Amino acid sequence: MKVVVIGATGLLGQALMREWRGDEVVGLSSRDVDIRDAGRVREVVANLRPEWIVLSAAYTDVDGCESHQELAVAVNRDGAVNVAQAAKEVGAKLVFLSSDYVFDGKKNSPYEAGDARNPQSVYGRSKAEAEVRLLEVLPQCCIARTSWLFGAGGKCFPDTILKLAASRPALDVVNDQHGCPTYSLDLARGIIELCRRNASGIVHATNAGSCSWFEFARGIVNAAGLTTEVRPVSTQQMPRPARRPAYSVLSPKSLEQWGIAMPTWQDALRRYLQERKS
Ligand SMILES: NC(=O)c1ccc[n+]([C@@H]2O[C@H](COP(=O)([O-])OP(=O)(O)OC[C@H]3O[C@@H](n4cnc5c(N)ncnc54)[C@H](OP(=O)(O)O)[C@@H]3O)[C@@H](O)[C@H]2O)c1
C-alpha cells in the first residue's frame, strides 16, 4: 500500500519512517507541505494518491499554544481539516494523531475512547475541535490519541531529566499529574498495525501502565543508574502557562479491540535508554 506521513520530521514521524517496512511510504515535513495551505495540501495529496495518510504534524508546544492561539487553531484544527478534505477527494484513509489533553483530567479511572472531551488548554481545545470536525468530514477516519511522547530525534522528557540530573544534586518534579508515557517507536508500530487492520474511530494508543511525572523522572534516573535525588512537588509549586489535566490516563481497551497491545512504559523506557547509548 502507499502511505503518506505528514509530519515525518517530528518525534513520531521519524519513528514511523524508521519502522514502516513493506509498504511505499512518503514522508513530508512542513517544508514539503504546510497543512495550513488547503490548496497545497490538495495538490500534494492528489499527486501522491496514497491509500493511507498519517497526520502526525501539529503545533505541539503546549505552553506556546496559549500565547499563539491563532497558530494553534490554524495548524491543529484547520490544518487537520484541510488534510481530511484532501484525503476525501482521493479516497484515502486517514489516521489523525490526537492527545490526552482533550480531557479535563477530573476522572480517576482510565479515560475510554468515548468519554466526553473537555479540554483545559488552547492546545487541547485545538485537538478536540479537530477531532469533531474530522469525524464530520471523514466519518471513517481513525483518531489515535496518545500521550507523554518520548523518543529519539527531538526534545523529550527523559532527555531533559538526564541532562538536569547530570548537573544538579536534586530535581523537583510534579507528582499530581498522572498519564501514560509513550515511546515513539512503540506508538509507530501501533499506528502501522492500525492501518494494516483498516482501523477507524477513536483509539487510545499509549504504552501500558501509568505514572506521575515524578514517578517517570524517578524511573529515568534509576534506570540510568544515577544517584540524583528526585523530589515530588505539586503543580501549584511549578506553574506553567497551559493547564494540564491532573489525570489523563488513557484506557487501552479501544486499542485492544483492534487486537493490538503495547508494552509497559517501564519496558519502553529501558529500550529507549539503551537506544540512546548506542
Ligand atoms: N509529543 C507529545 O507528548 C504528544 C502527546 C499527545 C499527542 N501528540 C500528538 O502526536 C503527534 C506527533 O507529535 P510529535 O511530538 O511527533 O510532534 P513534533 O515532534 O513536534 O513534530 C511536529 C511535526 O509537525 C510538522 N509541522 C508543524 N507545523 C506544520 C505545518 N504547519 N504544516 C506541516 N507540518 C507541520 C513538523 O514539521 P517541521 O519539522 O518541518 O517543522 C514536524 O514534522 C502530534 O499530532 C501531536 O499533537 C504528541
Side-chain angles (χ1 to χ4, degrees), residues 39-73:
R40 176 75 184 137
V41 172
R42 199 177 305 125
E43 178 189 318
V44 167
V45 171
N47 283 340
L48 291 168
R49 295 210 150 258
E51 191 175 335
W52 275 98
I53 297 174
V54 179
L55 177 53
S56 184
Y59 176 36
T60 58
D61 177 350
V62 175
D63 289 322
C65 284
E66 296 295 314
S67 44
H68 298 96
Q69 304 205 9
E70 278 179 22
L71 181 61
V73 170

Side-chain angles (χ1 to χ4, degrees), residues 10-12 14-15 18 150-154 156 159 183-184 272 275-276:
L11 209 58
L12 173 62
Q14 290 175 68
R18 193 144 42 120
F150 66 92
C156 74
D159 289 5
Y183 185 20
S184 56
Y272 172 58
E275 183 195 354
R276 246 178 133 252

